[in-house]
Amino acid sequence: MIEGQVSKKRVLTLGADPEIFLFSGNKLIPAYEFLPPKGGDRLMYWDGFQAEWKYNHEGSHCQNNLVLYTRENLKKLEKLAKAKDPQARLSLTNVVRIPKDTLETAHPLHVELGCQPSWNAYKRRGEAVVNPRKLPYRFAGGHMHFGTWTPNRPNYEKIVKTLDSILGVWSVGVAQHMDNPIRRKYYGLAGEYRKPKYSEGYGVEYRVLSNFWLASPSILQLTWDIGRMCVRLAGSRYGKLWAGDEAETIDVINSCDHDRAKKIIYRNQPMFRWMLKQVYRQPESIKKAFDVCNQGLESIVPNPDDFKKNWHFGEEWIENGGQPWARWEG
């Protein structure tokens, strides 16, 4: 029996820089054809073939705002893409094969892999890409930013390893029909992170997850609730209660082994339920968090690529929980 509560004295600020591909039918629409390049104060831009955005609310700790701004950015991105091609659609496909002729003829800036180097909690690295024109794939991630620590830096490796062992493993089950292990040969390996510096202090950028959490407001809320709990666990005495082997965690994440991911979550049922009880009151909400890992997010969001329906593009958004679909626990 686990008793007690994780301290919430540290107010975590939240941010992200999700990436997403757009298609017309089955044909990829390169984001550089309708978005500006990254730079200056731009909040939405192309990152090679995929679109990317960041949130203009540094220092915000309100998760409902993260949901609201995500919806606004998805709507804006769809509108810009449809101005280029009326058949444009958003997609949660996170590994896309680029046609050879496109790679050979595209401008060098559009094919280069411009990501800054990442750190890895396990001292591992993805496969090096010497010539980006020879890499036939491009990838979309859903990086999570947590802050702010001051005056001291956070314990990066402890936080990232805690996120991996719980959120990273859980996400393998959730995205079992979406995530492609090809991505983790190059990016999003277990343990991948950066050390951002904000105006108010230090932060952690967790770079392991794909963009699956863009599927709906409820999936976003649940993913970030678990992520915030992991960060708090890393600074508490309760984190050591999670039954997991480091080598097992790394292999499950990097190979997208959803069968073993489910077994790890099942093995830790008491701990996982205790974590979720820190956030949710309703037993049904906690049960669904297990179900979505076992069955995949399609058990909650039948068509993850139907952004108009899942994000209620045609309806007025009411803040502060006014819409039951704005939260995991309505």
Side-chain angles (χ1 to χ4, degrees):
M1 182 68 178
I2 303 171
E3 298 179 352
Q5 289 189 336
V6 176
S7 172
K8 297 182 180 179
K9 289 182 179 180
R10 179 177 300 282
V11 179
L12 296 172
T13 58
L14 309 174
D17 53 337
E19 302 161 330
I20 194 167
F21 290 105
L22 293 102
F23 292 84
S24 177
N26 293 322
K27 182 181 179 181
L28 176 69
I29 305 175
Y32 54 74
E33 291 186 356
F34 65 93
L35 289 178
K38 184 176 183 178
D41 57 356
R42 297 188 184 99
L43 299 178
M44 184 172 289
Y45 39 82
W46 57 261
D47 181 11
F49 294 88
Q50 62 268 46
E52 182 177 345
W53 72 80
K54 59 184 178 181
Y55 297 83
N56 187 25
H57 62 295
E58 181 180 334
S60 174
H61 62 269
C62 180
Q63 192 165 292
N64 280 341
N65 281 344
L66 189 71
V67 177
L68 173 63
Y69 299 143
T70 299
R71 180 173 180 267
E72 290 178 350
N73 280 305
L74 288 168
K75 288 180 67 176
K76 177 182 178 181
L77 182 58
E78 183 187 64
K79 182 178 180 180
L80 291 171
K82 284 185 177 295
K84 167 69 179 177
D85 184 331
Q87 303 303 314
R89 62 180 178 85
L90 301 162
S91 174
L92 286 179
T93 301
N94 55 67
V95 177
V96 171
R97 191 177 186 97
I98 309 299
K100 184 178 179 181
D101 60 339
T102 301
L103 286 170
E104 291 176 346
T105 59
H107 191 283
L109 290 176
H110 296 155
V111 297
E112 71 179 13
L113 305 173
C115 284
Q116 300 174 3
S118 298
W119 298 81
N120 190 282
Y122 314 106
K123 308 298 187 290
R124 297 187 174 213
R125 290 290 180 267
E127 293 185 19
V129 179
V130 178
N131 183 355
R133 293 191 191 274
K134 299 295 184 181
L135 179 65
Y137 305 103
R138 292 300 186 270
F139 316 100
H143 308 150
M144 309 171 77
H145 296 246
F146 301 97
T148 304
W149 283 261
T150 185
N152 299 320
R153 296 174 184 265
N155 188 331
Y156 297 105
E157 291 194 358
K158 187 174 182 181
I159 291 170
V160 172
K161 288 181 178 181
T162 304
L163 283 161
D164 270 353
S165 62
I166 304 174
L167 176 62
V169 168
W170 175 84
S171 74
V172 169
V174 177
Q176 59 188 268
H177 303 127
M178 303 174 65
D179 276 2
N180 189 327
I182 291 175
R183 172 176 167 260
R184 290 197 167 113
K185 289 184 178 181
Y186 302 92
Y187 299 103
L189 283 74
E192 190 172 332
Y193 70 99
R194 284 184 182 156
K195 304 176 180 180
K197 177 70 169 65
Y198 306 123
S199 60
E200 299 176 358
Y202 301 98
V204 177
E205 178 185 349
Y206 183 59
R207 295 176 56 81
V208 174
L209 303 189
S210 72
N211 61 1
F212 76 89
W213 51 265
L214 296 176
S216 74
S218 62
I219 292 297
L220 186 157
Q221 290 275 16
L222 179 59
T223 302
W224 282 80
D225 281 333
I226 294 173
R228 291 196 300 173
M229 282 301 301
C230 288
V231 175
R232 292 191 172 108
L233 277 175
S236 79
R237 68 182 188 275
Y238 296 109
K240 62 183 179 181
L241 298 177
W242 187 265
D245 175 79
E246 189 170 288
E248 177 186 47
T249 297
I250 294 170
D251 191 52
V252 165
I253 292 175
N254 289 349
S255 63
C256 297
D257 189 337
H258 52 84
D259 287 331
R260 279 199 291 165
K262 298 172 195 176
K263 291 177 181 177
I264 293 172
I265 298 299
Y266 181 79
R267 180 199 308 157
N268 286 278
Q269 274 196 71
M271 178 71 173
F272 197 56
R273 289 184 185 279
W274 173 81
M275 281 179 55
L276 294 172
K277 284 181 180 178
Q278 308 284 311
V279 185
Y280 304 118
R281 300 178 303 277
Q282 300 177 15
E284 183 62 23
S285 297
I286 297 174
K287 179 180 181 301
K288 285 183 179 180
F290 281 95
D291 291 345
V292 74
C293 177
N294 289 329
Q295 302 168 25
L297 68 81
E298 293 87 349
S299 64
I300 303 296
V301 187
N303 185 356
D305 275 358
D306 191 349
F307 287 87
K308 184 176 181 178
K309 178 180 179 181
N310 299 336
W311 285 89
H312 301 258
F313 282 178
E315 300 177 26
E316 181 181 357
W317 182 277
I318 301 176
E319 297 184 59
N320 300 320
Q323 296 284 8
W325 39 262
R327 287 201 56 78
W328 175 253
E329 183 173 74

